Amino acid sequence: MGYQKRTWYPGVIYHITSRGNRKEIIYKDIRDRYVFLNIIENSLEYYKGEFSIICYCIMSNHFHLMIETKDTHIKHFMSRINSQYAKYFNQKYEYVGYLFQGRYYSQIIDSDLELMEVSRYIHLNPVRANIVKKPEHYIWSSYSMYLGIGKKRIVQTEKLIDCFNTMKNYKMFVEEVGNG
């Protein structure tokens, strides 16, 4: 039985999640997470302007990306980052077989409200998992970049900040749920 084709059209924004096979850990140390971010950065460069990362969060056994597409289907970007990371991981740890559990999950974001809610969900992931008390304390997400306290890397913050007018308003929006 084949996979159903993903809905895609130019300019769509996706919430993407990919999880380790059998929910196993896919980032065993700090270097693994840096390698993954470098693969994303290199893939953004490879596709030169075709994709923008709005936000992300890297957990131990899965990751979340919010990605805006231009004229290239998301499957090309995801295939590149997942296959390159799986190759790196399998070589490093001398594993064989699938690193990721099936196909990556994708959800189309089709309103500003959904964009805001999903970004909050992504940035609060480590808080809800009881890894940190505040989302800005988790260094493997883009949240600190939205607050202006983290080095801006791979993320284009403008689209989300435009929904809130200021970073301060975004922080209040995220943390009203995070502290409740």
Side-chain angles (χ1 to χ4, degrees):
M1 184 169 165
Y3 287 118
Q4 183 178 357
K5 279 186 142 182
R6 292 185 194 278
T7 303
W8 180 83
Y9 46 89
V12 73
I13 297 173
Y14 287 97
H15 173 207
I16 303 284
T17 303
S18 199
R19 181 177 307 281
N21 201 15
R22 294 176 299 281
K23 298 182 181 180
E24 291 181 6
I25 290 174
I26 57 175
Y27 309 101
K28 293 189 174 204
D29 61 25
I30 287 174
R31 184 169 189 269
D32 294 345
R33 293 171 194 248
Y34 279 119
V35 166
F36 183 71
L37 287 172
N38 284 334
I39 288 170
I40 291 174
E41 191 169 39
N42 292 339
S43 296
L44 289 168
E45 182 65 28
Y46 180 83
Y47 287 107
K48 208 69 153 174
E50 286 298 307
F51 302 97
S52 298
I53 306 293
I54 297 170
C55 62
Y56 70 85
C57 186
I58 302 170
M59 302 295 281
S60 61
N61 72 346
H62 69 284
F63 65 83
H64 294 270
L65 299 172
M66 187 183 291
I67 305 175
E68 183 174 18
T69 66
K70 301 295 186 261
D71 295 315
T72 302
H73 198 294
I74 190 65
K75 68 182 178 183
H76 301 294
F77 186 80
M78 291 308 302
S79 174
R80 181 178 172 88
I81 67 169
N82 280 358
S83 64
Q84 285 186 4
Y85 184 72
K87 183 177 178 181
Y88 154 81
F89 186 92
N90 286 346
Q91 282 179 335
K92 179 178 179 180
Y93 297 106
E94 297 180 355
Y95 285 6
V96 294
Y98 297 106
L99 176 63
F100 294 104
Q101 178 181 306
R103 222 164 78 151
Y104 61 90
Y105 165 83
S106 65
Q107 168 195 356
I108 291 178
I109 307 296
D110 54 12
S111 71
D112 284 349
L113 180 59
E114 195 173 3
L115 177 84
M116 296 183 305
E117 291 291 343
V118 172
S119 74
R120 174 165 53 190
Y121 172 81
I122 290 171
H123 285 142
L124 287 176
N125 221 254
V127 174
R128 290 192 175 119
N130 293 315
I131 297 169
V132 294
K133 295 280 186 218
K134 293 183 163 195
E136 63 263 29
H137 294 158
Y138 191 71
I139 65 169
W140 302 110
S141 88
S142 55
Y143 188 65
S144 64
M145 296 170 212
Y146 277 90
L147 302 184
I149 58 177
K151 180 183 175 201
K152 192 172 170 187
R153 179 179 183 186
I154 75 170
V155 176
Q156 301 298 316
T157 59
E158 297 79 17
K159 185 171 226 59
L160 191 52
I161 294 302
D162 283 350
C163 294
F164 292 93
N165 296 320
T166 68
M167 289 183 183
K168 182 179 177 183
N169 289 343
Y170 181 63
K171 178 178 172 47
M172 287 174 23
F173 172 77
V174 169
E175 295 180 13
E176 75 183 5
V177 168
N179 292 329

